[in-house]
Amino acid sequence: MLGLSKKSDYALLALSYLATNGESRTVRTREIAERFAIPAELLAKVMQRLAKMGWLASSPGPSGGYTLAVSDTSITVGDVVRAVDGGSALTQCMHSPEGSDCEQWANCTIRGPLGFVNERVQDVLNHIPIRDIRERATPASAESELVSIVVPDHSAPAAVRAGASRSHNEGDTP
Amino acid sequence: MLGLSKKSDYALLALSYLATNGESRTVRTREIAERFAIPAELLAKVMQRLAKMGWLASSPGPSGGYTLAVSDTSITVGDVVRAVDGGSALTQCMHSPEGSDCEQWANCTIRGPLGFVNERVQDVLNHIPIRDIRERATPASAESELVSIVVPDHSAPAAVRAGASRSHNEGDTP
DNA sequence: CTAATGCCGACCAATGAGGTCGGAGACCTG
DNA sequence: CAGGTCTCCGACCTCATTGGTCGGCATTAG
Ligand code: FES
Ligand code: FES
């Protein structure tokens, strides 16, 4: 469905919480889970993976928990999604350079162009540090200067404009 | 896993084939299926949905098949994904404006920023017409002028640069 | 009429996401 | 120092979604 998994969602939620509300204290998984009303055990698993990535420092025992081990500007949402969700490419064929994954590598005609699209999406994801994923909505830094997409009119007549603008967020959930 | 579904992949494949190789003749589903070595029945289902969207004209009977009914610049990959895959938003909460879908709408702190990221991704997808998804790799139009992402150095030190560049396409498939 | 094609719905199988369990180690109490 | 408790940790399980299949019906060229 081209969407973040719950795990990625939880990971971003937790990281944002740690970056904002956990200056230099250990935060228990339970605390975050209750704060956001999400299953604690599943979040625990996510936290483990984040810890294994080296982004969180864990300390067991009572008064234990997790602490953000790196700067909140050194991880991007792309990194998080890739780590916790297992790859964030649009198609399989973009993981391995020699098409060992994708079946129709041999006679696929859209690999090149799609790869380009993929890179653009990855660029977007890779340039939003988790610092910008915080309580504040639409962070000023990102809004104004971080990422801006320039799209000249190209060869697209009226139809494209209509279709593109209509379809920003419009979902049919039958 | 944040990736296009097979159905979207097939749809793009078929549309690209029709745009390139089906100037003004009816193309059978079987032909496309065999060309790309994909299951014919599933592709048929995808074709039906594309036809129902009005993008393909269908004609039953012998010597029947499909024809591209609209200009190859009036549909974008965003449109295709959205139609065939059912919504292309990063999270559920971005479909409905009042959080009727997402559970933790009430105490979610990342909705705003993530929504912004979502819009950027959607922008990318909505500005690539299927004309640019063709046999040619990395179409010149898209490469040079269509979409360009400008990202000034912002507040991100060396770590971000390293992380971002490292993680373009690198998948761990355990 | 007959054959070839699209059209439609129901059906089945496998993958993986979401969720759960019991353990191992570290702090705290006495 | 010993026990209890609280935490992380890794393996396990279940089920919804996706990918894929089948058969029957309508439509049209030959
Ligand atoms: S879809 Fe994998 S090579 Fe085209
Ligand atoms: S994830 Fe849906 S509201 Fe935040």
Side-chain angles (χ1 to χ4, degrees):
Chain A
M1 197 254 286
L2 184 69
L4 278 66
S5 68
K6 291 271 172 101
K7 275 189 270 194
S8 300
D9 206 354
Y10 296 163
L12 263 68
L13 229 28
L15 284 172
S16 126
Y17 185 81
L18 280 175
T20 307
N21 205 341
E23 273 304 300
S24 64
R25 72 189 177 92
T26 58
V27 179
R28 285 162 301 172
T29 300
R30 196 76 57 83
E31 177 180 337
I32 306 181
E34 289 180 2
R35 166 69 179 81
F36 294 112
I38 58 184
E41 282 86 359
L42 180 55
L43 196 153
K45 192 191 296 188
V46 172
M47 301 292 272
Q48 290 168 213
R49 193 157 291 167
L50 293 180
K52 193 173 283 182
M53 285 287 154
W55 300 333
L56 298 184
S58 69
S59 45
S63 81
Y66 290 98
T67 317
L68 201 58
V70 296
S71 160
D72 57 358
T73 56
S74 57
I75 315 172
T76 66
V77 299
D79 291 325
V80 174
V81 168
R82 211 164 304 122
V84 82
D85 219 34
S88 73
L90 259 66
T91 65
Q92 291 302 102
C93 28
M94 283 153 201
H95 285 159
S96 48
E98 278 308 321
S100 45
D101 269 332
C102 195
E103 271 311 314
Q104 52 256 33
W105 171 279
N107 37 17
C108 176
T109 59
I110 65 175
R111 179 172 58 253
L114 252 190
F116 172 72
V117 176
N118 181 49
E119 279 197 20
R120 290 285 79 76
V121 174
Q122 297 295 327
D123 277 348
V124 173
L125 264 49
N126 285 335
H127 286 303
I128 310 272
I130 61 167
R131 158 167 231 154
D132 287 348
I133 306 290
R134 258 160 43 182
E135 310 231 358
R136 310 182 38 73
T138 61
S141 60
E143 179 86 62
S144 60
E145 51 168 349
L146 212 186
V147 175
S148 68
I149 298 192
V150 184
V151 42
D153 259 297
H154 179 241
S155 64
V160 170
R161 292 278 78 75
S165 56
R166 167 185 60 72
S167 49
H168 251 184
N169 49 356
E170 168 234 16
D172 42 340
T173 53
Chain B
M1 196 255 286
L2 185 69
L4 278 66
S5 66
K6 291 271 172 102
K7 275 188 270 194
S8 300
D9 205 354
Y10 296 164
L12 258 44
L13 229 27
L15 283 172
S16 127
Y17 185 82
L18 280 175
T20 307
N21 205 341
E23 273 305 300
S24 63
R25 72 189 179 90
T26 58
V27 180
R28 285 162 302 171
T29 301
R30 198 75 58 81
E31 177 180 337
I32 306 181
E34 289 179 2
R35 166 70 180 81
F36 295 112
I38 59 184
E41 282 87 359
L42 181 54
L43 195 153
K45 197 185 293 188
V46 171
M47 301 291 272
Q48 289 168 210
R49 191 158 294 167
L50 293 180
K52 194 174 285 183
M53 285 288 155
W55 300 332
L56 298 184
S58 68
S59 44
S63 80
Y66 290 98
T67 317
L68 201 57
V70 296
S71 160
D72 56 359
T73 56
S74 57
I75 315 173
T76 66
V77 299
D79 292 324
V80 174
V81 169
R82 212 165 302 121
V84 82
D85 218 34
S88 73
L90 259 66
T91 65
Q92 291 302 102
C93 30
M94 283 154 201
H95 285 158
S96 48
E98 278 310 318
S100 46
D101 269 331
C102 194
E103 272 309 314
Q104 51 258 31
W105 171 279
N107 35 18
C108 176
T109 61
I110 65 176
R111 178 173 58 253
L114 252 189
F116 172 73
V117 176
N118 180 51
E119 278 197 22
R120 289 285 78 76
V121 173
Q122 296 296 327
D123 276 349
V124 173
L125 264 49
N126 285 336
H127 286 303
I128 310 273
I130 62 168
R131 158 167 231 155
D132 287 349
I133 306 291
R134 258 160 43 181
E135 308 231 358
R136 311 183 37 74
T138 61
S141 59
E143 179 87 62
S144 58
E145 52 168 350
L146 213 187
V147 175
S148 67
I149 299 193
V150 184
V151 42
D153 259 295
H154 180 239
S155 63
V160 171
R161 292 274 80 74
S165 55
R166 166 185 61 72
S167 50
H168 251 183
N169 49 357
E170 167 236 14
D172 43 340
T173 53

